[in-house]
Structures are given as C-alpha cells and as structure tokens.
Amino acid sequence: AVVSTQSGHYGRESLLSWWKDMIAEGKKFGYYVNESKSCLILKNKDQRDFAKGLFSDTKIKIKEDGQRHLGAVLGTEEFRNSYIKKMVDEWGSMLKKLCVFAKTQPHAAYTCFTHGVRHKFTYFMRTMDISHHMASLDSIITDQLIPSLFGCLVSPLERELISLPLKYGGLGIPILTELARKEYSTSILVTQSLVNDMKAQLRDWDEQESDTVVQGEASSDQLRKILQKRVEEYTQRQSDITKKLDEKTARIIEQICEPGSYNWLSCLPIKRYGFSMNKSEFRDSLRLRYGKDLDRLPPQCACGATFNVNHALNCHRGGYVIIRHNAVRDFLTEMLDKVCKDVEKEPKLQTLEGEEFSRASTLTGDEAHPDIRARGFYRAGQHAFFDVKVMNPNSESYLNISTKKVYERAEQQKKSAYNERILHVEHGSFVPLIFSVTGGMGNQARTFSKLLCDKISYKQKQSYNDVTNRYRCRLSFFN
C-alpha cells in the first residue's frame, strides 16, 4: 500500500530523525512514504529557512499558513476560516440546487437531503468548529428547502419541531448551527484520551496496552453517556415544543411518534415497491402529519356535509374508507401466506345451530365473517382469525379520550363481536388488528406484527430488523 500522508508532532532537533525513521520502519510493513504529498506546517515563519535547509534533499512541501488534512484543515486561524468559508459556499450552492429540484420532486429531494447531503457535513462538524459559519446554510434550509417540501411556509416553532429526529415527531432536518456545536464538543470529549497519547508521543504500545484498553473502555462509556444525554435532550425539546402547541396539534404530534408512523419518511422512494410519491401526495402527507391545512379542498362533500380533512378520512361515500381497509387486509394476508400454508381472506364461519352466547353483542348471523383466517399461526393445526380496522383517532367522537384508549376501545368492540363465537364454535383464536390513519397501531396489532416478522425472519433466513423495517414501510403507505 502506498500511503500519501503522515501525521507527526516533534521538536526541531528530532524532526529529521523522525522522518528518516518513518521511511525506514514503514518499509518493513509495506508503508512507503510519498514525499511529494507530504507537508510540513511551520507555526513560526522565522523557521522557514531552517526547515528548507533541514529537508533540502526531499520533496516535502513547506507551508506557513496551513494545509488541508484528511478532509479537514490545519493551520492559522485565517487559513482555516478561508477554507471553511469556501467549503460552506460550495455547500450553499449545492443546497440551492436541491431547493430547485424540491419544487418538482419534493419526496426525492427530502430523501436526498436526509440520506446524503446532511451527512456530508458530519465529518467537518466533528473535526472543525464550524458552527459560526453554518447560519447561511440554515437560512437556505429554513427559507427555501422546507417551504419547497411542504408547499407552504412553516412557523419558527414548526421549524424547531422539524429539526428533531423522526421518532420524536420531526423530519430529521437539523438546525445546522446547533448540530455543529454539539458534534464538535462530542468529538473533543470522545477523542481526548487519544489526543493525550499523541501529545505524549507514546511509542511502546506493548507496555501501554492495558492502559489503552482502559482508556478505550472509558471513551466508549463516555460516548454512551453522551448519546443517552442526547436522547434526553430530544425528549425534553419535544415536550417543550408540544406544550406550546394547541391541543389538537399536540395530539397529532403524540400520534406521529408511535412506532411505524414515520417509516414512510425513512425509506427510499423506490417505484417498484410503491414507495415513490408525486409532489402533491408528498406535500399533502407532510401537511397531514403536522395537522396543517391542505390546498384546494372543496367546500362540500358529495354526501352533503361540510368538507374538511377529518371528514375526508371518515366519509364512506366514494369507497375510500373500504379501499384503505382492504389494502391493509390484503397486505397482511400476503404476509401471513409467507409463514402459513392455509390462509383465507374473509372466511365464512360455521352456521350456528342453537348455540347461545353470554354477550349480546356477539354476531350470530350467517353473514358474519372476520377478515383473515390462518391455520397454525399461533398453534399447530389451530385456526387463528383476524379482523382489521383502520380508524381515524382524531374523529370528533374520540377527541375527549387518549389515543391509547381509542385503540383499546376499538379492540374491545371487535372482541365483543367475534371472540366468543370463534372461541366456542370454531375452537380457534381471535385477534383484532387495529391501525390508525396516522400510522400507529393497537397493542394487539403490535404484538401480532412482531410475531409475524419473527416468523418471516426465521423462515426466510433474513435479519429480523430488516424484515420489520420492510413490513412497517409497506404498511405505512396503506394508512
């Protein structure tokens, strides 16, 4: 291997000796110094003639201001600021092009930023203190990129919420000035032990091995504490923001933090999987996520009622509620078919012949049928019946109770209708699968989903996390 850069910190007298040792010792391990790509940075300009004489028979570059090093920069404050400004200007130009792209392809632009662009900044944030240079990029993101994604302006409070990770109700579009400050301070803390060793120029690593292991464990422990503190900060910020919101919006924020409700934002917009949205679909989805009004809504529904988002999610006119339900039912049937050999959609229950039930709410007619039957899902040979419901937890009738209670009530209603009949007549088990239009699910649906993904993972010899992520992504596009 040819190595083109080296790092050293020595006094003048030992510098040449170190350089010769580097060349001699490096060859033993296949390390060949490339002199033309090596650089000596002088902290004192008066040492220039001495340095030139010391390395007169080499091709080493001698600089007084600074040099780009491993993507970051070393040198005088003026040189560093000049380098950072040039770099930030390039980032700004890139962001402006992304803003133009976001006007026609907001879904692709959002994915491009969260999966690519924002991570271009991370290394520099950790190696240089660039927080005071990021304000211009924050302005582009807040004033141009985010409005292009939403199709409208956002308030300062909404901007603060959007900066949080997805699981805390945000969009993962950070405020770069704050992020740069945190990343740099974290990097300083985590690498402190290594910096101390480099300054001390420890050479005998065999003798220092035990100390190095201890220091490494201390750094790992410190990193865990930092990450835990960051989680606590996100939780606190989310709580502080929610307190400033109106009751309706705060309820929506609580719902979009449920597991599975934000997977449609974290996956790549791949067309063949049905994950790609056009600009209208994506912008409407973002606005619905944060309880914002939609454009061009008709004043009145075909059923005669006043039209709004809540009515659109509840009205049965036009068949959209049924389409939404059937999409989830068909997807779950497809998933169950991967692990069970006998799966049936809308199975007919056995005709009753005088059986009586303790609950008056139990369905007794011949037309009663759950959505799915799968043999052997819970126990070998036993039928497991499932009934799906996709509901709007923000309907007027639910606003006075918590979202958790809404799920529990819907599960109880389904059990009251089917459980006793299936248990005593079919000798099977019944599970209500309750999902919400915000992407969440009830406790029993969550337990069922975990078991289903575990079975698929085992049968197809795939990672459980990969199966779960794919399952949640597909499900999130149906709600």
Side-chain angles (χ1 to χ4, degrees), residues 251 254 391 398 400-412:
R251 181 184 176 90
E254 177 192 350
M391 56 155 196
Y398 293 145
N400 293 326
I401 59 177
S402 67
T403 305
K404 181 180 179 182
K405 289 293 184 183
V406 173
Y407 288 132
E408 292 175 354
R409 179 183 291 185
E411 288 174 345
Q412 191 57 46

Side-chain angles (χ1 to χ4, degrees), residues 54-72:
L54 193 64
F55 292 96
S56 59
D57 58 345
T58 70
K59 297 179 181 179
I60 294 177
K61 298 175 183 177
I62 299 175
K63 296 190 176 182
E64 301 170 3
D65 48 0
Q67 171 69 24
R68 180 178 180 273
H69 180 66
L70 298 177

Side-chain angles (χ1 to χ4, degrees), residues 288-358:
L288 289 173
R289 175 175 168 84
Y290 292 103
K292 297 174 73 67
D293 294 331
L294 303 184
D295 293 333
R296 301 187 303 278
L297 290 181
Q300 194 174 35
C301 179
C303 70
T306 301
F307 194 87
N308 55 40
V309 171
N310 238 347
H311 181 78
L313 293 173
N314 296 332
C315 184
H316 287 264
R317 192 70 175 266
Y320 293 111
V321 172
I322 299 300
I323 292 171
R324 185 177 66 203
H325 165 275
N326 290 349
V328 175
R329 178 203 62 193
D330 294 346
F331 168 68
L332 295 177
T333 303
E334 177 191 339
M335 293 295 102
L336 282 166
D337 201 45
K338 295 178 183 290
V339 295
C340 300
K341 293 184 178 180
D342 183 9
V343 179
E344 184 181 3
K345 187 162 52 179
E346 295 191 353
K348 291 184 177 180
L349 300 179
Q350 296 183 56
T351 303
L352 298 180
E353 299 177 5
E355 290 91 346
E356 296 182 355
F357 306 104
S358 60

Side-chain angles (χ1 to χ4, degrees), residues 132-345:
H132 53 291
H133 292 273
M134 305 300 281
S136 61
L137 300 185
D138 280 329
S139 296
I140 295 172
I141 292 171
T142 302
D143 300 335
Q144 298 180 46
L145 179 61
I146 293 177
S148 295
L149 297 179
F150 277 84
C152 65
L153 297 175
V154 297
S155 67
L157 188 60
E158 288 172 331
R159 174 64 184 102
E160 190 176 352
L161 178 61
I162 288 169
S163 70
L164 296 175
L166 292 174
K167 67 183 295 184
Y168 296 98
L171 288 178
I173 303 178
I175 298 173
L176 298 179
T177 304
E178 296 178 1
L179 182 63
R181 192 179 301 114
K182 290 179 182 177
E183 289 286 358
Y184 186 69
S185 60
T186 300
S187 178
I188 293 294
L189 287 173
V190 172
T191 60
Q192 190 60 54
S193 61
L194 293 175
V195 172
N196 292 338
D197 285 350
M198 290 174 67
K199 286 182 176 180
Q201 286 297 296
L202 297 178
R203 295 193 180 197
D204 196 343
W205 289 101
D206 292 333
E207 293 181 4
Q208 297 293 333
E209 184 176 0
S210 59
D211 292 338
T212 303
V213 171
V214 171
Q215 289 175 359
E217 292 175 351
S219 296
S220 299
D221 185 56
Q222 192 174 44
L223 180 59
R224 282 192 294 269
K225 290 180 180 179
I226 291 170
L227 294 177
Q228 179 60 36
K229 183 179 179 181
R230 190 168 293 185
V231 169
E232 294 171 358
E233 288 177 357
Y234 286 142
T235 304
Q236 185 60 48
R237 282 180 62 190
Q238 181 207 42
S239 176
D240 293 341
I241 294 170
T242 304
K243 289 176 183 177
K244 299 176 185 177
L245 299 170
D246 60 82
E247 188 176 345
K248 178 185 174 183
T249 308
R251 181 184 176 90
I252 292 174
I253 298 305
E254 177 192 350
Q255 293 162 358
I256 64 175
C257 293
E258 295 181 48
S261 64
Y262 43 81
N263 287 76
W264 64 278
L265 285 164
S266 62
C267 65
L268 297 176
I270 303 175
K271 283 188 177 181
R272 70 172 180 270
Y273 295 141
F275 293 166
S276 179
M277 294 180 170
N278 63 40
K279 61 182 180 180
S280 178
E281 292 170 339
F282 184 74
R283 286 172 179 155
D284 286 353
S285 297
L286 281 186
R287 293 193 191 186
L288 289 173
R289 175 175 168 84
Y290 292 103
K292 297 174 73 67
D293 294 331
L294 303 184
D295 293 333
R296 301 187 303 278
L297 290 181
Q300 194 174 35
C301 179
C303 70
T306 301
F307 194 87
N308 55 40
V309 171
N310 238 347
H311 181 78
L313 293 173
N314 296 332
C315 184
H316 287 264
R317 192 70 175 266
Y320 293 111
V321 172
I322 299 300
I323 292 171
R324 185 177 66 203
H325 165 275
N326 290 349
V328 175
R329 178 203 62 193
D330 294 346
F331 168 68
L332 295 177
T333 303
E334 177 191 339
M335 293 295 102
L336 282 166
D337 201 45
K338 295 178 183 290
V339 295
C340 300
K341 293 184 178 180
D342 183 9
V343 179
E344 184 181 3
K345 187 162 52 179

